[in-house]
Amino acid sequence: MSLPLEGLSAVVTGAGRGLGRAEALELARLGAAVVVNDYGQPGRDGSGEASTGPAEDVAAEIRAAGGRAVAHAGDVADFAGARELVELAVAEFGKLDVLVNNAGILRDRMVFSMSEDEWDSVIRVHLKGHFNMTHFAAAHWRARAKEKQEGREALPWKGGGGRRAGGLVYGRIVNTSSEAFLAGSAGQPNYAAAKGGIVGLTTSTALALAKYGVTANAICPRARTRMTADVFAGFERPDEGLDPLAPEHVAPLVGYLASPAAAQVNGQLFVVHGGLVAIVERPRVQARFDTKQDAFTYDELDALLTPHYAGRPKGETFAAAEVLGLRHAGASADR
């Protein structure tokens, strides 16, 4: 019996520790050959010397379990480094089929205290890193689709005549957003902005690449990792069983989205943690107002919008803070 990802190759960024490591191991368990990427800096804020150690360790772990894996210690936020990473996957495994963008750092601060570097560095690693990898993976799939199309004979329409068959390839992108974007994390304006941008990048990519057979989806994972050690410090681990905040709760969804079974899942956003997967609905129009004149005036807007917001719950914004209350149905109340 073949495995779901047998014959496919994947790149997982930020895979030396935490979520990325769990995702790389899961993809390998499902049969994929994996390029394990991690810049290897020890600090969760991107500080410290880069190291090949974390990526090499996870690649070795996959090979020890009978899988295929190579390590890459480059910086995905570097444009040339991202190209090198995609080229490595193609050189080692013949092609790239799955891209999991996970690499990131944290530099938390309130917006009035945040420095320019704290803003720029987080946007660079998360948002630019996602773009860089998506750009080169998309170019690879587009080139393959064109080659496939050019190699096919013209096929007939239902009503006669002829056209070239579309050159579809296998491609899956799983991007990593965050509940910080959905709920509006007050102390993480850089991180929330980057994660919101990643959702926009995901939906744009999903529409742009669908014609080639490629899907792009985003996840908002909640897990106890090096980056979130202080965030979940008060959430105790159970004496028995899997920690509800273990990264292993997230990895199976990534494996599914990378698989042929998820061919119809595209441009979607998922919240995933502790035995729970929630599909986030796209934004809907809450209310609509039309001017009774050629154009709105201040007085007309005041007469329409002021009473509307006077009746809304205090503190309600576009943010969906309710996602933070999502729990597995069997989870205890004190988790």
Side-chain angles (χ1 to χ4, degrees):
M1 182 176 178
S2 63
L3 296 170
L5 304 185
E6 189 172 329
L8 302 179
S9 66
V11 165
V12 183
T13 71
R17 307 176 179 91
L19 273 172
R21 172 182 173 275
E23 292 163 350
L25 293 176
E26 177 69 3
L27 295 182
R29 188 188 70 80
L30 295 175
V34 183
V35 179
V36 179
N37 163 265
D38 200 286
Y39 201 30
Q41 292 173 302
R44 71 171 188 172
D45 60 352
S47 62
E49 292 295 322
S51 170
T52 61
E56 291 284 3
D57 289 346
V58 176
E61 189 174 355
I62 290 172
R63 292 192 296 267
R68 299 173 64 197
V70 294
H72 180 272
D75 178 8
V76 296
D78 177 74
F79 199 62
R83 178 177 57 229
E84 178 186 273
L85 181 47
V86 171
E87 289 174 346
L88 175 62
V90 175
E92 288 289 330
F93 305 124
K95 57 186 171 55
L96 173 64
D97 301 296
V98 177
L99 169 62
V100 180
N101 284 311
N102 172 75
I105 63 172
L106 285 180
R107 292 191 178 180
D108 295 350
R109 189 98 51 192
M110 298 296 286
V111 69
F112 43 76
S113 301
M114 181 164 288
S115 69
E116 181 180 17
D117 180 65
E118 287 167 338
W119 173 271
D120 288 348
S121 60
V122 170
I123 297 296
R124 176 184 179 273
V125 176
H126 287 276
L127 187 52
K128 187 184 178 187
H130 271 64
F131 162 73
N132 287 348
M133 292 303 303
T134 298
H135 169 78
F136 289 110
H140 169 68
W141 288 320
R142 181 171 180 264
R144 282 175 53 198
K146 284 191 170 184
E147 291 174 2
K148 190 172 182 180
Q149 185 180 43
E150 291 168 359
R152 287 190 174 185
E153 296 296 326
L155 296 178
W157 287 88
K158 290 182 180 179
R163 68 177 178 89
R164 284 199 174 278
L168 298 181
V169 298
Y170 191 100
R172 301 283 187 271
I173 299 175
V174 182
N175 288 332
T176 306
S177 183
S178 170
E179 290 172 292
F181 144 69
L182 289 171
S185 180
Q188 298 180 303
N190 48 3
Y191 184 70
K195 292 306 190 180
I198 286 168
V199 174
L201 173 64
T202 302
T203 54
S204 175
T205 302
L207 292 175
L209 301 186
K211 63 183 178 182
Y212 302 120
V214 178
T215 67
N217 294 286
I219 63 171
C220 295
R222 191 187 305 176
R224 194 192 309 272
T225 68
R226 180 178 57 129
M227 282 180 59
T228 61
D230 57 339
V231 177
F232 297 124
F235 292 76
E236 295 184 1
R237 299 172 186 264
D239 295 330
E240 297 181 1
L242 186 63
D243 180 1
L245 293 172
E248 287 73 19
H249 284 294
V250 176
L253 176 61
V254 173
Y256 167 75
L257 294 174
S259 76
Q264 302 303 313
V265 184
N266 193 29
Q268 302 298 305
L269 178 64
F270 299 86
V271 172
V272 53
H273 57 79
L276 175 146
V277 171
I279 303 170
V280 179
E281 187 175 22
R282 65 183 184 274
R284 295 184 294 172
V285 177
Q286 177 209 97
R288 170 179 165 168
F289 303 94
D290 294 285
T291 182
K292 295 180 180 179
Q293 308 167 83
D294 289 336
F296 274 113
T297 64
Y298 169 87
D299 288 338
E300 188 180 14
L301 289 171
D302 181 27
L304 291 170
L305 298 180
T306 301
H308 172 76
Y309 282 104
R312 304 296 301 177
K314 187 176 180 180
E316 180 186 72
T317 71
F318 186 76
E322 61 269 22
V323 298
L324 298 179
L326 289 173
R327 296 287 188 278
H328 181 261
S332 61
D334 58 349
R335 280 185 182 171

